């Protein structure tokens, strides 16, 4: 999947204007979401999973690493932030920093061990680590709550040095805070992929042996990509726990990794804007289809198959294709009008 969108990725890295346009499109999306959706809570869920998909895209879309370990970082961030707020009375910013650091350290450890193998063996290692993390969380029920999850997770106000800047108790206020963090991540990810480091990640994705032959330490680059992805995913997990006011065990289960991967692929690998498109598509489809039929996962599966077959570059790839065809028609009509 990552290879299918390599042209999009390469053109995005070469053209800062395209990146600026995409950033404005992402900003427009987060502004529109709470207006068009029935609740700010649903919009917040979409943006939180867009963060997780964006982080996953750094691995899958730009480094070519298909990891089933995203749930580890998501769950680790959720648990660490929740425990810090509940037992240590840590504030919002501190809890998010702890979640990001925990996700980064966990990802660095998983990445260091998993990238010793490539291909299907790498994928199986990340899957095994996720199962290990799940059973560890299930066993440590005194800390994680086990099957019941970690209850009574607070949503503290945004405060700096004891000065309260914003009360986030209302759904719309919390959405605004989450949207601001997403946009900061989006701009940061844009700068990363538009840097020499991002170009090196793409080179590793396209041909690891060739990148190593010209002098790049591909192992260190992959570990760093894992670490960045884990930090962003950990922050997303912490925000999700604050949204729900508890940290469920499902945060660290394999299906969570699958959901994040599906959002990434459906949105478009190698596309930053695809993160919010994929997240919105999956969350909204699940919300709507569950009201139609109890076995809505079957309908969701059919919809996903259709998207993969019809839009090989994901939702963003399909949108880009429509834009290109429209431009071709416009240029063709202008050529016909010339004397």
């Amino acid at each position: 999947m990552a290879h299918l969108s390599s042209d999009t990725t390469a053109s995005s890295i070469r053209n800062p204007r395209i990146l600026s346009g995409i950033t404005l499109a992402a900003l427009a999306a987060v502004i529109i979401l709470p207006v068009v959706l029935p609740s700010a809570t649903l919009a917040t869920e979409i943006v939180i999973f867009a963060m997780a998909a964006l982080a996953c895209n750094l691995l899958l879309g730009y480094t070519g690493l298909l990891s089933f370990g995203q749930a580890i970082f998501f769950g680790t961030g959720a648990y660490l932030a929740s425990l810090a707020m509940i037992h240590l009375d840590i504030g919002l910013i501190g809890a998010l920093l702890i979640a990001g650091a925990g996700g980064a350290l966990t990802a660095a450890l998983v990445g260091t061990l998993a990238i010793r193998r490539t291909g299907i063996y790498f994928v199986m290692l990340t899957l095994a680590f996720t199962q290990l993390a799940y059973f560890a969380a299930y066993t440590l029920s005194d800390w994680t709550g086990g099957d019941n999850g970690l209850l009574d997770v607070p949503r503290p106000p945004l405060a700096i040095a004891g000065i309260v800047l914003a009360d986030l108790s209302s759904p719309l206020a919390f959405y605004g805070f989450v949207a601001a963090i997403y946009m900061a991540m989006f701009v940061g990810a844009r700068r990363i992929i538009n840097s020499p480091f991002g170009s090196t990640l793409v080179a590793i994705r396209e041909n690891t042996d060739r990148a190593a032959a010209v002098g790049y330490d591909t192992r260190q680059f992959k570990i760093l990509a894992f670490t960045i992805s884990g930090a962003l995913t950990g922050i997303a997990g912490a925000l999700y726990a604050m949204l729900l006011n508890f940290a469920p065990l499902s945060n660290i289960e394999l299906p969570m990794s699958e959901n994040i991967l599906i959002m990434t692929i459906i949105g478009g690998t190698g596309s930053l804007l695809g993160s919010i498109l994929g997240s919105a598509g999956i969350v909204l489809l699940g919300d709507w289809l569950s009201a139609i039929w109890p076995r809505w996962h079957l309908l969701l599966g059919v919809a996903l198959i259709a998207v993969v077959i019809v839009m090989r570059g994901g939702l963003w790839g399909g949108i880009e294709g429509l834009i290109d065809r429209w431009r071709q028609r416009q240029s063709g009509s202008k050529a016909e009008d010339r004397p």
Side-chain angles (χ1 to χ4, degrees):
M1 282 292 179
H3 179 72
L4 292 175
S5 58
S6 59
D7 293 339
T8 300
T9 303
S11 63
S12 296
I13 290 175
R14 290 193 301 266
N15 194 338
R17 290 185 179 181
I18 293 178
L19 291 172
S20 298
I22 291 175
T23 302
L24 293 176
L27 179 60
V30 298
I31 292 173
I32 291 172
L33 275 177
V35 178
V36 299
L37 294 180
S39 71
T41 300
L42 183 61
T44 305
E45 183 179 1
I46 289 173
V47 175
I48 288 173
F49 279 110
M51 295 180 192
L54 184 148
C56 182
N57 221 339
L58 290 176
L59 287 179
L60 179 60
Y62 294 94
T63 318
L65 296 175
L66 177 61
S67 168
F68 279 92
Q70 301 306 106
I72 304 174
F73 322 138
F74 194 87
T76 297
Y79 283 131
L80 289 180
S82 300
L83 289 170
M85 290 186 292
I86 293 172
H87 297 291
L88 301 179
D89 198 27
I90 299 292
L92 178 64
I93 302 299
L96 292 179
L97 291 175
I98 290 172
L105 290 174
T106 307
L109 176 61
V110 171
T112 300
L113 297 174
I115 64 171
R116 295 173 181 268
R117 295 292 181 266
T118 59
I120 188 63
Y121 301 104
F122 166 81
V123 174
M124 293 302 293
L125 275 174
T126 60
L127 192 152
F129 280 123
T130 301
Q131 291 296 90
L132 177 64
Y134 166 75
F135 284 111
Y138 180 81
T139 303
L140 299 172
S141 57
D142 289 342
W143 290 93
T144 65
D147 258 342
N148 297 323
L150 196 58
L151 305 178
D152 299 324
V153 175
R155 188 190 299 173
L158 175 60
I160 298 178
I163 302 173
V164 176
L165 303 179
D167 181 11
L168 305 180
S169 58
S170 74
L172 191 58
F174 188 59
Y175 173 81
F177 177 71
V178 171
I181 293 180
Y182 171 74
M183 287 307 305
M185 287 185 181
F186 193 96
V187 173
R190 186 194 73 174
R191 293 182 66 86
I192 288 173
I193 65 170
N194 200 40
S195 68
F197 173 72
S199 300
T200 305
L201 292 183
V202 174
I204 292 171
R205 182 198 68 193
E206 295 299 319
N207 194 317
T208 303
D209 293 336
R210 185 177 297 174
V214 298
Y216 291 117
D217 188 342
T218 58
R219 183 172 178 272
Q220 293 300 323
F221 275 95
K222 289 179 180 180
I223 292 174
L224 186 53
F226 250 103
T227 303
I228 296 172
S229 178
L232 300 182
T233 308
I235 293 173
L239 291 170
Y240 193 54
M242 295 180 201
L243 174 69
L244 301 179
N245 293 124
F246 86 107
L249 185 62
S250 59
N251 278 355
I252 206 167
E253 279 188 294
L254 180 60
M256 179 60 75
S257 288
E258 295 171 352
N259 286 338
I260 294 172
L261 276 170
I262 290 172
M263 291 175 185
T264 305
I265 294 170
I266 293 301
T269 54
S271 165
L272 292 181
L273 193 59
S275 62
I276 197 163
L277 293 176
S279 172
I282 299 302
V283 171
L284 292 178
L285 268 178
D287 185 64
W288 294 335
L289 294 178
S290 62
I292 298 174
W293 193 28
R295 298 179 181 178
W296 59 274
H297 285 94
L298 292 174
L299 300 176
L300 180 61
V302 172
L304 297 183
I305 291 171
V307 170
V308 171
I309 292 175
V310 176
M311 303 179 182
R312 299 183 64 188
L315 293 174
W316 178 241
I319 292 172
E320 281 191 321
L322 292 174
I323 294 174
D324 289 341
R325 283 194 289 270
W326 178 80
R327 286 176 177 172
Q328 290 173 2
R329 289 180 182 177
Q330 290 294 107
S331 60
S333 61
K334 287 180 179 179
E336 291 176 358
D337 292 340
R338 291 174 184 171

